[in-house]
Amino acid sequence: MRRTTALRTGLSALLLLGTWATASVLPASAADTPPRTTEAPASAGLLSAMQRDLGLTRSQAEERLSAEKRATAVERKAKDAAGSSYGGSWFDAERGTLTVAVTRGATIDAVRATGADVRLVQHSARQLDAVKTRIDGLKAPDGVASWYVDAEANKVVVNVVDAHRADNDVREFLAQARRTGAVAVRHTAAVPRTFAAGTVGGDPYYTGNVRCSIGFSVHGGFVTAGHCGRAGAAVYGWDRSYVGTFQGSSFPGDDYAWVSVGSGWWTVPVVLGWGTIPDRLVRGSAEAPVGASICRSGSTTHWRCGTVLAKNETVNYSQGAVHQMTKTSVCAEGGDSGGSFISGDQAQGVTSGGWGNCSGGGETWYQPVNEILNRYGLRLHTA
């Protein structure tokens, strides 16, 4: 798409390189650990962002990226090996390993052979997902922020805003939630909100008087957040020239949309680094595990990094609940909605909302990109 020359200098160089086409943990043995693979070194900008946002040294950031790449590959194999006994998984940043929860009856040796540590738990992921689905059917009051399956806790966690913990409607909701199965209650600082914003400039797209951020290019357009615009709404670029229209949009319930691209604009498989790092080429959409580092690009706060905290979380916005969200420790602010969440060169999702800001910190949720692609039959534009 059309961008300023200054912002696109690094992009042009990158594109020339592309093709365009409840028991103790049972550790894996050293022999079971997958061998290190040769990979391109991380950019200095990415390592710098991880040092800033995650409090790591440069060598720690390099080691973590390598360990996370191995864990992502192990997760797929371990889930297959566990079968119906699979209870979820998470990445341990300190140890650099993936832990896979399994119920009794699992073939533990087969799971360990993939390179994963193993933890025995009471409830399978399927059972916990069923509990969460039943809670999804309840009407949540404003004082309930979200709920999700916590694999490490082996329960469905309901997050309650601290200031509303004593509200009668919150207590009634929690009583109903506990009757659905294994539920734990935690407290959070604030109510989540979406990150759309008024027209304040930058490198955004606009619809009406709302500014949001582009997520990922797909063949024929790009994906973004559903709360940024409804189907049929016109979309304008950073220079206010016409880009296309929202072809599909869902919010609440979901928070995703896709926008057609034409009128002299085109798509590229790139996420902006905003000068913090070189622009990132997108090469796929393999899902990073809980505990992995992740970065976000948006038109307000630009490039920010953090950690994946939870998956399949239901977020209770004032406009209504949104399901199947991924929670992160990355900060965001108004105007970042719809922007890219990426892990390495793998697309993860589009920014939905959260609480806090990039001065004092907070949490941000994204809608997984693979769900959006499947919903609309789209194909990710990759390098």
Side-chain angles (χ1 to χ4, degrees), residues 181-340:
V183 168
V185 177
R186 294 176 186 166
H187 299 106
T188 187
V191 177
R193 58 184 175 83
T194 55
F195 286 127
T199 52
V200 296
D203 188 22
Y205 74 87
Y206 300 88
T207 177
N209 64 346
V210 172
R211 171 169 64 86
C212 282
S213 303
I214 293 171
F216 294 96
S217 289
V218 297
H219 290 271
F222 64 83
V223 294
T224 186
H227 71 264
C228 292
R230 295 303 183 192
V235 173
Y236 300 87
W238 64 271
D239 60 354
R240 298 299 187 147
S241 64
Y242 177 73
V243 175
T245 59
F246 278 86
Q247 298 297 314
S249 179
S250 179
F251 178 80
D254 310 294
D255 194 6
Y256 50 60
W258 84 279
V259 174
S260 62
V261 167
S263 302
W265 291 70
W266 62 92
T267 63
V268 290
V270 167
V271 172
L272 293 174
W274 295 98
T276 301
I277 68 165
D279 296 345
R280 305 289 290 175
L281 288 172
V282 178
R283 300 190 184 278
S285 57
E287 187 177 342
V290 169
S293 63
I294 194 167
C295 296
R296 178 191 58 71
S297 182
S299 64
T300 299
T301 57
H302 299 171
W303 186 266
R304 301 285 176 163
C305 297
T307 303
V308 178
L309 300 177
K311 296 184 180 183
N312 192 22
E313 184 159 0
T314 297
V315 181
N316 190 36
Y317 294 129
S318 61
Q319 301 94 328
V322 176
H323 309 293
Q324 295 180 313
M325 303 274 271
T326 297
K327 179 167 63 179
T328 76
S329 64
V330 186
C331 67
E333 296 179 12
D336 287 326
S337 278
S340 321

Side-chain angles (χ1 to χ4, degrees), residues 22-303:
T22 273
S24 59
V25 173
L26 308 177
S29 67
D32 292 333
T33 303
R36 290 180 178 268
T37 56
T38 302
E39 57 190 74
S43 71
L46 174 59
L47 295 173
S48 177
M50 293 180 68
Q51 289 174 250
R52 178 196 66 196
D53 294 338
L54 295 174
L56 305 175
T57 65
R58 182 184 178 91
S59 63
Q60 287 172 334
E62 290 174 331
E63 291 171 2
R64 179 159 178 169
L65 287 172
S66 180
E68 288 173 354
K69 186 171 184 178
R70 293 195 302 272
T72 298
V74 166
E75 185 176 42
R76 293 191 292 268
K77 298 175 183 177
K79 185 174 182 179
D80 289 341
S84 61
S85 297
Y86 179 71
S89 56
W90 58 93
F91 177 74
D92 186 325
E94 291 187 3
R95 300 175 63 236
T97 58
L98 184 80
T99 300
V100 174
V102 297
T103 57
R104 296 192 181 280
T107 307
I108 292 177
D109 288 343
V111 179
R112 292 181 64 239
T114 67
D117 290 347
V118 179
R119 176 179 293 178
L120 292 175
V121 295
Q122 183 176 356
H123 309 289
S124 69
R126 186 176 302 174
Q127 290 171 325
L128 293 175
D129 285 342
V131 172
K132 181 182 174 294
T133 297
R134 289 192 286 272
I135 297 176
D136 285 344
L138 304 176
K139 182 172 177 55
D142 291 341
V144 175
S146 64
W147 52 95
Y148 67 100
V149 172
D150 186 326
E152 191 168 3
N154 199 226
K155 292 183 178 180
V156 175
V157 171
V158 178
N159 290 308
V160 173
V161 179
D162 197 56
H164 296 278
R165 59 197 301 179
D167 292 0
N168 289 334
D169 53 356
V170 170
R171 290 181 173 182
E172 176 59 27
F173 178 86
L174 293 178
Q176 295 178 50
R178 289 187 175 102
R179 287 195 287 271
T180 67
V183 168
V185 177
R186 294 176 186 166
H187 299 106
T188 187
V191 177
R193 58 184 175 83
T194 55
F195 286 127
T199 52
V200 296
D203 188 22
Y205 74 87
Y206 300 88
T207 177
N209 64 346
V210 172
R211 171 169 64 86
C212 282
S213 303
I214 293 171
F216 294 96
S217 289
V218 297
H219 290 271
F222 64 83
V223 294
T224 186
H227 71 264
C228 292
R230 295 303 183 192
V235 173
Y236 300 87
W238 64 271
D239 60 354
R240 298 299 187 147
S241 64
Y242 177 73
V243 175
T245 59
F246 278 86
Q247 298 297 314
S249 179
S250 179
F251 178 80
D254 310 294
D255 194 6
Y256 50 60
W258 84 279
V259 174
S260 62
V261 167
S263 302
W265 291 70
W266 62 92
T267 63
V268 290
V270 167
V271 172
L272 293 174
W274 295 98
T276 301
I277 68 165
D279 296 345
R280 305 289 290 175
L281 288 172
V282 178
R283 300 190 184 278
S285 57
E287 187 177 342
V290 169
S293 63
I294 194 167
C295 296
R296 178 191 58 71
S297 182
S299 64
T300 299
T301 57
H302 299 171
W303 186 266

